[in-house]
């Protein structure tokens, strides 16, 4: 990738930011045949895109808010993503428990509308549940006062895994993608953007990169790039933090998720099975500064604990939190009174110097966002008109009928390659930690094929160890460091620095008791 960066004199499209938005654009641009470069400051999906609720959804909440256009678009994208990446996106059933008499018809009818809106791309019909059926599907739900429930379907995925597979899809189609490469300035000629100045932060080397179109896809950092273009540019992003708490599966020993339709601040709360744990969230807390490592606030943790203990018979305590993680929504400022009411639609802007910025949206709609922004970018840059191909483009690893019970199912066709590493060296079948269901082979694969550069990349985004059990991940860090060092020919001093760097990030994922 670095060789391609050095040898290419002019790119068609240069994308700043390697989250869902930027990676989606890279896939679209490369599959149209454009010479495509993506630069990511840290690691792919280091930002918001690895910190979501892991739902590929139309958004029942947006239906409640009456945002029909957003729900229709997201439901269509949900269906396309399930078709193009069936190895990463699963059909997930949800129960909405009803404790008041009116909730049964209210949510039941609402979800019939949701089914109808999904049309032929639906994942299964919603249906009314009796109290007994509700408890059969979600046995630890508080039975006191329970009247019944409504069952519905949405998609569920591993966000960072999809990000890595999108990076690989783009690369399969000829794109160049570089992590740990930060855009530090924009290059201009006659007031028009003609490229970017970027630093490869691992090798401490700067590159002057020329491109016909530059797209700013930096999520909550959008304003930083806008201000490189025009120091007086107004800030457009209003970051809103959401946190999740992760618990042992024993608190909800079921394959069915729970959706709590109305929290005290009028949001929804999810408890979703994920990688054999339960993830519970989220919150909506306006924050003034965007950080690459946002931290869960005490009041947010209390809020989630308060709601989840209200609905479960087996009450988790803070001691039961295996991991807590926070993410920032890149919401575009509006006139709304709170960030919860800000639009989740995407937003595209073009500056006088023709810097194109895209922000907002959802993971679910990344493909559509990419299609929309590329139509504009290709036209502005005078690139040959090529039709978008991503509606039917399989994502790297595509497997038509994945076995969701198989331990490596989310690698799709790459699972066979990981197993061949184990066949060549049996020691690679060992787990990196007794409480983490990830093998040493996955770490070797991550370094060899997935541009994994650090212990944090390996434990947070190539495997999801840090989000599933922060303490176990910290205990596994030296083992993972050794594997990385062997593959990358690094010394003991490098391992020590890597373990220290990982621990300083990982400690924020541990509960404060
Ligand atoms: C708590 C929470 C839960 C969510 N749950 C869901 C969900 O269940 N389903 C769903 O569909 N959506 C969900 N979302 C929304 C979704 O996660 C986001 O819309 C999406 O991840 C945003 O992606 P992005 O690429 O725009 O931003 P990011 O993922 O933040 O990517 C931007 C990237 O730009 C990089 N960058 C910044 N500056 C530079 C620079 N100078 N040079 C190079 N790179 C740079 C950053 O390092 C970062 O990786 C959720 C969001 C939050 C916060």
């Amino acid at each position: 990738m670095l060789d391609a960066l050095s040898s290419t004199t002019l790119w068609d499209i240069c994308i700043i930011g390697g989250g869902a938005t930027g990676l989606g654009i890279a896939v679209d641009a490369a599959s149209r045949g454009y010479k495509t470069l993506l630069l990511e400051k840290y690691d792919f999906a280091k930002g918001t895109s690895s910190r979501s609720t892991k739902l590929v959804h139309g958004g029942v909440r947006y239906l409640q808010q009456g945002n029909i256009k957003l729900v229709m678009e997201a439901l269509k994208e949900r269906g396309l993503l399930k078709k193009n990446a069936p190895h990463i996106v699963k059909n997930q059933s949800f129960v909405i428990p009803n404790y008041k008499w009116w909730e049964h018809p209210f949510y039941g009818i609402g979800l019939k509308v949701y089914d109808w809106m999904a049309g032929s791309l639906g994942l299964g019909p919603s249906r009314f549940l009796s109290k007994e059926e509700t408890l059969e599907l979600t046995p630890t739900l508080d039975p006191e006062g329970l009247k019944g429930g409504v069952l519905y379907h949405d998609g569920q995925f591993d966000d960072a895994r999809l990000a890595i597979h999108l990076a690989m899809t783009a690369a399969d189609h000829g794109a160049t993608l570089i992590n740990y490469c930060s855009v530090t300035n924009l290059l201009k000629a006659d007031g028009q953007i003609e490229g970017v100045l970027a630093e490869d932060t691992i090798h401490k080397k700067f590159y002057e990169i020329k491109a016909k179109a530059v797209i700013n896809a930096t999520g909550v950092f959008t304003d930083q790039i806008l201000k490189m273009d025009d120091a007086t540019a107004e800030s457009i992003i209003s970051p809103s933090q959401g946190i999740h708490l992760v618990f042992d599966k024993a608190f909800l020993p079921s394959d069915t998720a729970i959706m709590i339709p109305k929290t005290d601040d009028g949001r929804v709360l999810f408890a979703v099975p994920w990688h054999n744990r339960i993830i519970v969230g989220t919150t909506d807390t306006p924050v003034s500064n965007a950080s690459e490592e946002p931290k869960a606030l005490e009041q947010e943790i209390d809020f989630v604990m308060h709601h989840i203990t209200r609905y479960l018979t087996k009450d988790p305590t803070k001691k039961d939190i295996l991991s807590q993680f926070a993410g920032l929504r890149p919401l575009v400022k509006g006139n709304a009174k709170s960030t919860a009411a800000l639009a989740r639609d995407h937003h595209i802007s073009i500056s006088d110097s023709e810097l194109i910025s895209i922000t907002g949206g959802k993971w679910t709609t990344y493909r559509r966002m990419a299609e929309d922004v590329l139509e504009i970018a290709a036209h502005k840059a005078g690139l040959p008109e090529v039709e978008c191909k991503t509606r039917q483009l399989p994502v790297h690893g595509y497997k038509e009928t994945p076995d969701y019970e198989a331990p490596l199912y989310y690698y799709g066709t790459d699972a066979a390659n990981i197993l061949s590493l184990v066949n060549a060296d049996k020691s690679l079948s060992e787990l990196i930690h007794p409480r983490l269901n990830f093998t040493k082979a996955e770490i070797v694969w991550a370094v060899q094929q997935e541009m994994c550069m650090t212990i944090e990349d390996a434990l947070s985004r190539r495997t999801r160890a840090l989000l599933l059990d922060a303490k176990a991940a910290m205990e596994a860090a030296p083992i993972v460091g050794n594997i990385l060092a062997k593959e990358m020919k690094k010394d003991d001093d490098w391992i020590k620095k890597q373990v220290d760097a990982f621990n300083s990030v990982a400690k924020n994922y541990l509960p404060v008791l």
Side-chain angles (χ1 to χ4, degrees), residues 298-374:
E298 205 181 326
Q299 72 260 29
E300 293 183 294
I301 296 167
D302 289 343
F303 176 89
V304 175
M305 290 300 295
H306 169 72
H307 281 89
I308 199 62
T309 49
R310 214 196 262 175
Y311 286 87
L312 296 182
T313 42
K314 191 170 156 51
D315 285 353
T317 67
K318 282 192 188 171
K319 273 197 210 135
D320 298 308
I321 299 173
L322 296 173
S323 181
Q324 57 195 34
F325 59 93
L328 299 175
R329 295 178 191 84
L331 303 183
V332 180
K333 278 185 186 163
N335 298 323
K337 289 205 187 78
S338 73
T339 49
L342 280 184
R344 263 61 175 169
D345 311 45
H346 59 274
H347 178 270
I348 298 174
S349 66
I350 305 163
S351 73
D352 291 343
S353 61
E354 304 225 319
L355 170 69
I356 302 169
S357 298
I358 173 153
T359 188
K362 287 146 60 78
W363 234 123
T364 308
T365 54
Y366 81 91
R367 192 211 63 80
R368 178 61 198 266
M369 293 168 71
E371 182 178 346
D372 287 354
V373 77
L374 266 179

Side-chain angles (χ1 to χ4, degrees), residues 16-22 39-57 157 181-184 217-221 224-225 228 240-244 282-283 326-330 358-365 369:
I16 315 173
T21 310
L39 304 170
E40 163 53 50
K41 184 172 182 176
Y42 302 102
D43 184 28
F44 306 116
K46 159 81 180 176
T48 309
S49 298
S50 56
R51 302 157 186 275
S52 77
T53 312
K54 331 293 178 202
L55 301 181
V56 179
H57 61 161
F157 76 133
C181 193
S182 171
V183 169
T184 56
T218 52
V220 282
F221 303 100
Q224 290 180 7
I225 307 291
M228 287 178 193
S240 155
Q241 177 157 300
I243 71 144
H244 292 90
T282 180
T283 51
L328 299 175
R329 295 178 191 84
I358 173 153
T359 188
K362 287 146 60 78
W363 234 123
T364 308
T365 54
M369 293 168 71

Side-chain angles (χ1 to χ4, degrees), residues 63-136:
L63 188 63
Q64 271 183 40
Q65 290 173 349
N67 195 339
I68 304 293
K69 182 177 156 273
L70 178 66
V71 179
M72 286 293 266
E73 181 176 299
L75 282 173
K76 183 173 168 211
E77 291 303 319
R78 180 188 76 171
L80 293 180
L81 189 53
K82 177 88 184 76
K83 275 192 175 166
N84 293 329
H87 58 302
I88 302 181
V89 181
K90 277 204 243 186
N91 184 337
Q92 174 69 57
S93 51
F94 290 77
V95 160
I96 302 184
N98 302 150
Y99 289 90
K100 298 194 180 82
W101 70 265
W102 56 266
E103 288 177 325
H104 214 206
F106 181 77
Y107 293 113
I109 293 166
L111 285 157
K112 285 287 169 214
V113 175
Y114 196 65
D115 291 349
W116 172 79
M117 285 168 84
S120 62
L121 290 171
L123 298 178
S126 60
R127 66 184 176 91
F128 291 99
L129 299 173
S130 65
K131 178 176 175 176
E132 292 68 35
E133 286 173 316
T134 306
L135 289 173
E136 208 171 291

Side-chain angles (χ1 to χ4, degrees), residues 400-453:
E400 199 175 344
T401 46
D403 170 9
Y404 296 118
E405 298 304 316
L408 300 176
Y409 77 85
Y410 40 87
Y411 285 95
T413 51
D414 280 348
N417 300 325
I418 298 173
L419 292 176
S420 1
L421 290 175
V422 173
N423 288 338
D425 176 355
K426 293 282 178 259
S427 73
L428 295 182
S429 66
E430 288 166 22
L431 295 181
I432 56 170
H433 189 281
R435 291 204 303 279
L436 294 169
N437 200 18
F438 302 109
T439 61
K440 292 181 176 175
E442 287 170 76
I443 308 297
V444 172
W445 174 258
V447 186
Q448 290 183 355
Q449 303 293 333
E450 297 183 340
M451 292 173 75
C452 167
M453 308 301 290

